[in-house]
Amino acid sequence: MNNLVFLLFSFLLLLHSGASELRLNYYSESCPRAEDIVKEEVKKLYNEHGNTAVSWLRNLFHDCMVKSCDASLLLETSKEIISEKTSPRSSGMRNFKYVNTIKKALEDECPTTVSCADIVALSARDGVVMLGGPFISMKTGRRDSKESHIAEVEDFIPNHNDSMSLVLSRFQSIGIDVEGVVALMGAHSVGRTHCNNLVHRLYPEIDPTLDPGYAEYLRRRCPPPSDSIHKAIEYARNDRETPMVLDNMYHKNLLNHKGLLQVDQQLVLDPTAAPFVEKMASDNAYFHEQFSKALLLMSENNPIIGDDGEVRKDCRFVNEG
C-alpha cells in the first residue's frame, strides 16, 4: 500500500514538473497551429518588410539577456512601467508593431494562450531561417513578465565600445561560453548599424585597426558628427557582401580588419576568441552549428514558467485586473 502511495505521489510530481518546464510542441493541444501561425506571419512580414527578420533576432537578444526570456522588452511605458525600449541600449530597434501582427493572428486562433515571450522566441527562430540560417528547434512554454527590467538593461546588454572581457563576462553570466559568443556576434552579419555607434572610429582620426579602404567607405556613409547631413545618412550595412544573409562573412570580414563596431574588431584581438573567429571564417557549417547552440541557450535563459507571470492579451501591456 505504501509503495502504491509513493508511486502515485511520484507520478503526480512528474506531471506537475512536466507542466512547469519548457518543452517542444508545448501548444500541441492548447493551440495546435501556434507555431505554424508564427511561421506564416514571419514569412509574410519578411516578404513585405525584409528587415523584420533582423528585428526578430535582435528582440530575442535584448529580451533574453536582461534577467529572463519574458517579453519584458515589449512592454510600453505606462503609469507604472518604464519601457526597456527607452534605454540607450535599445537605440535603433524597430518593427515592434509587427509583433502585434503576429499576436493578433494567434489571438484570433487561440485567445490568451500563446505568450508574447514565446512569440519572441519563435519569431527569432523563423527569422533566422528567412535570413538563410539554420532551423533551430525551440522549446516553448514561457510566460510573460508583469514588469519591465529597465533598471537592469545596462547591466546585462553589452555596449558597442565595451571591453571584450566585459562582453564575455556578460554572456558567461547566462551560460554562454567564448565559442558561443563568437557565434552569436555573427548575427552582426545582417542588418545595419547607426553611425553614432561608429563615428568615434572614423573621426578625427581613423581607427588603425580598420582596413583603410573600408574606413573610407564608412566615412562616406557616416559624415562627422558635427556635419549637418549626419542625420540624413545615419547607418552603414554590417556586411556589404551578403547584407541580409546570416553567414560567416562577418568572421571573414574581421580577419580582413573590416569589423564595423569596436566590439567586433576586438574579437580577433582577444586570444581566447580569435581561434574561433578563424575557424568560423573557414567553415560556415560550423558557424551555423555553434550559432544554433548559443541561440538556443539564450532563448532558455531563466524563463517564467508554470503559474508565474501571465499570458498577455496585448504584448504591449500587462493584463488588467
Side-chain angles (χ1 to χ4, degrees):
M1 183 67 176
N2 287 339
N3 286 341
L4 182 60
V5 171
F6 176 76
L7 288 171
L8 180 60
F9 180 69
S10 299
F11 179 66
L12 290 173
L13 276 179
L14 185 64
L15 283 179
H16 177 74
S17 63
S20 302
E21 297 175 356
L22 300 185
R23 63 177 185 268
L24 294 173
N25 303 311
Y26 180 86
Y27 299 106
S28 59
E29 293 184 8
S30 60
C31 191
R33 292 200 66 250
E35 296 194 24
D36 287 336
I37 289 171
V38 174
K39 187 180 297 184
E40 289 163 7
E41 293 298 319
V42 164
K43 186 174 182 179
K44 189 187 307 179
L45 288 164
Y46 176 78
N47 289 333
E48 295 173 1
H49 316 279
N51 57 31
T52 52
V54 181
S55 297
W56 307 146
L57 197 49
R58 193 174 178 193
N59 284 354
L60 181 72
F61 168 66
H62 280 258
D63 188 51
C64 292
M65 278 294 289
V66 184
K67 293 190 74 171
S68 169
C69 293
D70 58 8
S72 60
L73 171 71
L74 303 179
L75 289 170
E76 295 283 359
T77 296
S78 61
K79 187 182 296 184
E80 299 178 352
I81 286 173
I82 300 176
S83 176
E84 293 172 30
K85 301 174 193 175
T86 63
S87 168
R89 294 289 198 275
S90 301
S91 173
M93 294 189 74
R94 53 187 176 157
N95 292 321
F96 288 114
K97 63 184 178 181
Y98 297 124
V99 176
N100 302 328
T101 302
I102 299 173
K103 178 63 170 172
K104 183 182 184 306
L106 288 164
E107 287 294 303
D108 289 345
E109 178 86 6
C110 313
T112 325
T113 302
V114 182
S115 69
C116 299
D118 278 341
I119 292 174
V120 170
L122 293 173
S123 61
R125 179 193 72 178
D126 296 329
V128 166
V129 174
M130 291 293 99
L131 295 168
F135 177 81
I136 305 167
S137 294
M138 281 192 178
K139 296 176 182 178
T140 42
R142 301 165 189 79
R143 287 171 65 82
D144 300 325
S145 171
K146 296 181 182 181
E147 60 183 4
S148 165
H149 306 311
I150 181 64
E152 290 89 1
V153 170
E154 295 195 14
D155 294 331
F156 288 92
I157 300 290
N159 201 8
H160 61 87
N161 56 3
D162 281 342
S163 68
M164 185 48 55
S165 61
L166 180 57
V167 171
L168 293 176
S169 70
R170 295 271 170 90
F171 281 98
Q172 285 165 357
S173 72
I174 66 166
I176 297 175
D177 61 15
V178 177
E179 187 176 27
V181 174
V182 175
L184 283 177
M185 287 183 67
H188 287 181
S189 125
V190 293
R192 63 187 191 176
T193 294
H194 281 248
C195 286
N196 61 351
N197 291 329
L198 57 99
V199 288
H200 66 285
R201 301 189 71 199
L202 305 173
Y203 306 100
E205 302 295 331
I206 291 175
D207 183 334
T209 64
L210 273 174
D211 172 81
Y214 185 56
E216 286 306 316
Y217 156 75
L218 292 176
R219 278 189 162 189
R220 291 195 297 273
R221 295 297 308 169
C222 301
S226 58
D227 197 304
S228 60
I229 66 168
H230 181 58
K231 292 182 180 178
I233 304 174
E234 59 182 15
Y235 66 88
R237 285 288 178 192
N238 290 358
D239 170 7
R240 295 172 67 191
E241 303 297 323
T242 53
M244 291 299 288
V245 179
L246 184 66
D247 58 14
N248 65 343
M249 187 59 69
Y250 167 80
H251 302 93
K252 292 178 181 178
N253 284 337
L254 294 187
L255 296 179
N256 290 318
H257 303 282
K258 296 180 180 180
L260 189 59
L261 298 173
Q262 183 174 315
V263 71
D264 293 323
Q265 201 58 51
Q266 283 189 66
L267 276 183
V268 288
L269 302 177
D270 183 273
T272 63
F276 296 119
V277 174
E278 294 174 2
K279 189 172 180 181
M280 290 182 199
S282 65
D283 190 340
N284 194 56
Y286 165 70
F287 160 58
H288 278 172
E289 178 187 355
Q290 297 306 317
F291 182 86
S292 299
K293 289 180 181 178
L295 197 71
L296 196 58
L297 270 175
M298 179 180 286
S299 74
E300 296 179 6
N301 179 37
N302 193 31
I304 299 174
I305 53 178
D307 296 326
D308 295 329
E310 65 180 9
V311 175
R312 289 183 215 142
K313 297 177 182 177
D314 184 325
C315 291
R316 299 169 298 174
F317 306 104
V318 173
N319 294 340
E320 295 181 0

